[in-house]
Each structure stands twice: as C-alpha cells, then as structure tokens.
C-alpha cells in the first residue's frame, strides 16, 4: 500500500516489539517521535504519545530491478538488470545472464535506492520454443559469487498471446534446471515497453535483454486441488477466488511450496481431507514433503483419548 498501514498499541513496549520484528524480517528503516498529550504539574506526571514510522524497501520477490552503475559495480560487476528471487532481512538478487548473486541490506539500499521496473500484474506468459543449457560464462575481474541452485540457459520463447505469429524472443535465463521445450513460463517483456526508470533510461539498449523470465507456470487450479497442507489463519470472509486478495494469498502459498527458505519459520499442517498422491501423478510442480508438515491438533478433542481409553 502506498500510504501504508497504521497499528495502534496500548503500550510503547508492544509497538517497539513490532518495529524490531519488521527490522529483523525485511530490509527497512525506522524513525520515532513523541508528542506531549498532557501533564499534571502537581504530581509531575507526563503523558506522551509515541509514534514509530517504519519504511520497508519497495522491492518484492520476482521483481525485475535496475541497479545504479555504482551499486552494480560494488556488487561484483553485476548486470544492472537483475531479478529479486527472495526477500529476507536482505534483498537477494540474481543476474539471469551469468547466475551471479548478491545481497543488498537495508543500509546499502537506502544509500543506492532502486525500484522495480514492473508490477506483478504485468507478468506475461511465454512458451519455451527451444532451450539450451550453457556453460557458465567466464568470470570477469572482481566478479562475485554465483548461484549453485540455478542453471544458466539460453532460450527462444514466444508469447502465448502471439502463437498465431512467428515472433520469437531470445533470452538468457537462470531457470535452465526446470525449463524444457513446451513449458509455460511467466516473464516480463522489456523489448516492447517503455522503461520509465532513472538508471534504465541511461543504459546502452544492447545491454537490456528483450525478455526476463521469472518463474515456471503451473496449473493453479490443479495445485490447489492437490495441496495436502494448510496454514492456521484467523477467521475471515472468503471472497471469490478471483478477488485480488485471494490471488495474493494463493501467490503466498505457492511461494511457500517453491522456496524452503521462506517456509522454514512457518508452521505447515497436514490436511487430512486431501489424499496423498503418488509420484506418478506429479506434473513437476513444487510440493512440500510430508516430513515438513505438522499434525493438526484440535484443542476441543480430549488429548488423552477420553475416559477409559488406552493410554
């Protein structure tokens, strides 16, 4: 939300805990202030209203960003166009043309700020026409670490909305380990858009890729039907499945399935209503193993098994 959210607490200590939690969870910066509400000159009692302001970096998972030349150089001569593949207490970036990775913490970000080039709703669906895994390119001087969880590949792709044409795009991708010809993949089209970005506008056009692939596309309805786990959540009015809030919630559940680092601090419960499917029914979509799930405990049930039950 551009205007942010307001939380109200009865004590300053509770508000400070929330601020500390946010600063440990996402890259952010905080400011605090207090205002005198009233005071009693006879008992020397002062009442203050404390306000904490936390600004979170405006970069999310699966965003394409354009770094400033200085920041890209300081991160090991990365390309300026990078993909954010995870956000923890730092922003995790990967260069899809070299597999080079880097982390940007909050203090570094505020010194060299950058923005997302696209909104998630601008993701387009492509089909892999041809793909070839390639050897990692020779490292340049001062190059940083490379990801060992991704595979570099070069691919020819076509928009699913342009299948009746012969227009194809060539790109390098970090998703070579999961993509094959015929697969559907979500990405951003940089060749046919206006990049209204301070740093991108100053780049050499030949250094800007035509397409940046973000993630493999799976059948969402099929993933929902076979999802044999659930989260504990507060009571809420479930709107239609097409609502924006529901789509964002489904995106979050899919992120949990796709990234172990994201779900390591989340309690995931086995959903006994959904049967466990065999591996032969698997379409390759990421799934959470049974070993990572907790058994759902209903407090209303007698944990001892009831009177006279075998212990």
């Amino acid at each position: 939300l551009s205007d942010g959210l307001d939380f109200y607490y009865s004590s300053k200590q509770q508000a400070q805990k929330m601020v500390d939690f946010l600063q440990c969870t996402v890259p952010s910066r905080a400011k605090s202030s207090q205002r005198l509400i009233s005071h009693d000159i006879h008992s020397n009692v002062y009442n203050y209203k404390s306000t904490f302001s936390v600004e979170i970096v405006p970069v999310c998972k699966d965003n394409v960003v354009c770094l400033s030349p200085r920041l890209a150089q300081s991160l090991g001569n990365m390309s300026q166009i990078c993909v954010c593949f995870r956000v923890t207490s730092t922003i995790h970036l990967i260069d899809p043309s070299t597999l080079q990775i880097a982390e940007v913490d909050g203090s570094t970000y505020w010194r060299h700020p950058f923005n997302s080039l696209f909104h998630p709703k601008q993701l387009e669906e492509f089909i892999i026409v041809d793909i070839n895994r390639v050897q990692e390119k020779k490292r340049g001087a001062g190059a940083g670490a490379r990801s060992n969880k991704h595979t570099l590949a070069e691919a020819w792709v076509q928009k699913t909305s342009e299948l009746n044409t012969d227009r194809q795009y060539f790109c390098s991708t970090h998703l070579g380990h999961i993509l094959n010809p015929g697969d559907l993949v979500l990405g951003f089209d940089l060749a046919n858009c206006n990049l209204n970005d301070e740093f991108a506008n100053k780049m050499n056009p030949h250094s800007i890729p035509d397409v940046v692939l973000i993630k493999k596309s799976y059948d969402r309805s099929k993933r929902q039907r076979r999802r044999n786990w659930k989260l504990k959540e507060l009571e809420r009015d479930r709107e239609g499945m097409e609502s924006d809030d529901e789509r964002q919630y489904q995106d979050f559940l899919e992120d949990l399935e796709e990234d172990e680092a994201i779900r390591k601090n989340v309690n995931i419960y086995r959903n006994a209503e959904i049967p466990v499917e065999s591996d032969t029914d698997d379409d390759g979509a990421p799934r959470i193993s049974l070993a990572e799930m907790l058994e759902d405990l209903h407090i209303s049930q007698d944990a001892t098994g009831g009177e006279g039950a075998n212990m």
Side-chain angles (χ1 to χ4, degrees):
L1 297 178
S2 57
D3 296 329
L5 297 171
D6 293 331
F7 296 90
Y8 297 92
Y9 296 90
S10 58
S11 70
K12 183 178 179 180
Q13 290 74 16
Q14 291 176 336
Q16 184 65 58
K17 285 183 179 180
M18 180 65 171
V19 173
D20 294 341
F21 168 75
L22 289 174
Q23 290 184 313
C24 293
T25 306
V26 291
S28 59
R29 59 180 175 181
K31 295 185 294 185
S32 62
S33 62
Q34 60 182 14
R35 179 164 59 92
L36 181 63
I37 301 298
S38 63
H39 72 281
D40 186 339
I41 59 175
H42 300 291
S43 59
N44 202 29
V45 174
Y46 293 79
N47 291 321
Y48 289 96
K49 178 182 179 181
S50 297
T51 302
F52 294 90
S53 174
V54 180
E55 185 177 1
I56 299 174
V57 297
V59 176
C60 302
K61 180 180 180 291
D62 296 337
N63 281 177
V64 176
V65 300
C66 184
L67 310 179
S68 68
R70 180 178 296 181
L71 178 58
Q73 184 180 21
S74 68
L75 295 176
N77 294 318
M78 292 183 74
S79 297
Q80 286 182 247
I81 302 292
C82 293
V83 175
C84 173
F85 66 94
R86 184 183 299 138
V87 177
T88 56
S89 57
T90 59
I91 302 171
H92 298 253
L93 301 175
I94 186 168
D95 180 351
S97 62
T98 64
L99 297 188
Q100 190 170 325
I101 54 176
E103 294 184 27
V104 178
D105 58 21
S107 60
T108 303
Y109 176 85
W110 299 119
R111 287 198 307 271
H112 305 283
F114 52 86
N115 295 310
S116 172
L117 297 180
F118 297 92
H119 191 275
K121 291 182 179 179
Q122 294 174 278
L123 277 168
E124 296 187 70
E125 191 175 61
F126 296 83
I127 186 169
I128 302 294
V129 178
D130 191 22
I131 187 168
N132 294 303
R133 281 71 176 176
V134 298
Q135 294 288 336
E136 291 186 4
K137 298 177 182 178
K138 186 177 180 181
R139 298 192 183 198
R146 289 182 176 173
S147 172
N148 55 12
K149 295 183 178 180
H150 300 84
T151 300
L152 188 63
E154 293 178 340
W156 284 97
V157 299
Q158 187 175 22
K159 290 184 183 180
T160 54
S161 60
E162 298 178 345
L163 291 179
N164 59 340
T165 70
D166 57 357
R167 188 169 189 182
Q168 297 182 4
Y169 303 89
F170 179 79
C171 63
S172 294
T173 179
H174 59 296
L175 303 175
H177 56 299
I178 57 174
L179 294 180
N180 295 291
D183 285 345
L184 297 177
V185 60
L186 299 177
F188 293 109
D189 178 6
L190 282 72
N192 302 298
C193 68
N194 293 321
L195 294 177
N196 186 19
D197 182 82
E198 174 189 0
F199 305 124
N201 292 339
K202 297 177 182 178
M203 287 182 63
N204 183 338
H206 297 292
S207 301
I208 300 178
D210 289 341
V211 170
V212 176
L213 303 181
I214 300 299
K215 58 183 178 180
K216 189 173 178 179
S217 178
Y218 301 97
D219 185 338
R220 168 164 283 188
S221 60
K222 195 173 184 179
R223 290 182 74 169
Q224 288 180 247
R225 288 196 306 270
R226 66 171 22 166
R227 186 171 289 138
N228 59 345
W229 57 272
K230 58 186 177 180
L231 302 178
K232 295 290 187 182
E233 56 181 285
L234 297 175
E235 290 285 338
R236 63 188 177 105
D237 294 330
R238 300 301 289 262
E239 299 180 8
M241 297 303 290
E242 295 303 315
S243 71
D244 189 54
D245 288 346
E246 186 62 31
R247 279 196 297 270
Q248 291 187 38
Y249 183 66
Q250 292 301 322
D251 287 340
F252 172 66
L253 297 182
E254 291 175 7
D255 287 343
L256 290 178
E257 289 175 329
E258 294 167 8
D259 196 334
E260 293 180 12
I262 294 178
R263 65 176 182 258
K264 68 178 181 180
N265 293 321
V266 178
N267 288 336
I268 294 171
Y269 295 89
R270 169 88 172 89
N271 188 353
E273 298 177 2
I274 308 297
V276 179
E277 295 186 0
S278 65
D279 292 337
T280 57
D281 300 325
D282 198 358
D283 62 352
R287 301 170 71 177
I288 299 177
S289 65
L290 290 174
E292 297 178 75
M293 300 180 193
L294 302 173
E295 287 296 329
D296 194 7
L297 174 64
H298 297 283
I299 303 300
S300 59
Q301 296 176 352
D302 186 354
T304 64
E307 185 177 354
N310 294 327
M311 299 296 289

